[in-house]
Amino acid sequence: MLRRMPNSKRPIERVFIALSDPTRRAVVQKLSERSATVSQLAQPFDMALPSFTQHLGVLEDAGLIVSQRQGRSRVCTLNPMALKAAEDWMASHRKQWESRLDRFESHLEKMKEEKSDD
């Protein structure tokens, strides 16, 4: 069995893995309002700063956020293009499932009609 290293995942996989965690989703939500420093982002969470910065690292590796040093602080900003890629992926799959469900609904209607003709 071939084991894949975390960095070998496709970008869309990294986005969904990053968004699978509630802490990271909360950070993305906060950054959708405005940029913030690491300490501002960490404040509402009951965890050590090194643990919190690991979450930021996952978000950054997935391309969901970018950070840069401003003086003594590190400021994080949301990268909406990474979210757009995930949204596009979900939309394309939603179309497939809607099409399948429409065909299934047609099939059920046809079966109902056949049954009522008996």
Side-chain angles (χ1 to χ4, degrees), residues 11-55:
I12 194 74
E13 291 171 347
R14 287 193 297 253
V15 168
F16 286 120
I17 289 169
L19 293 174
S20 70
D21 183 86
T23 299
R24 296 190 289 262
R25 286 192 306 272
V27 169
V28 168
Q29 176 63 40
K30 179 72 172 170
L31 291 175
S32 72
E33 299 165 7
R34 63 178 166 76
S35 297
T37 65
V38 170
S39 58
Q40 289 170 330
L41 292 169
Q43 184 182 17
F45 299 100
D46 185 27
M47 68 177 71
L49 190 57
S51 297
F52 183 76
T53 58
Q54 284 181 340
H55 285 290

Side-chain angles (χ1 to χ4, degrees), residues 15 19 28 32 63-64 78-90:
V15 168
L19 293 174
V28 168
S32 72
L64 289 164
L78 184 66
N79 176 13
M81 293 311 295
L83 289 173
K84 175 83 170 96
E87 180 184 359
D88 291 347
W89 184 91
M90 288 186 287

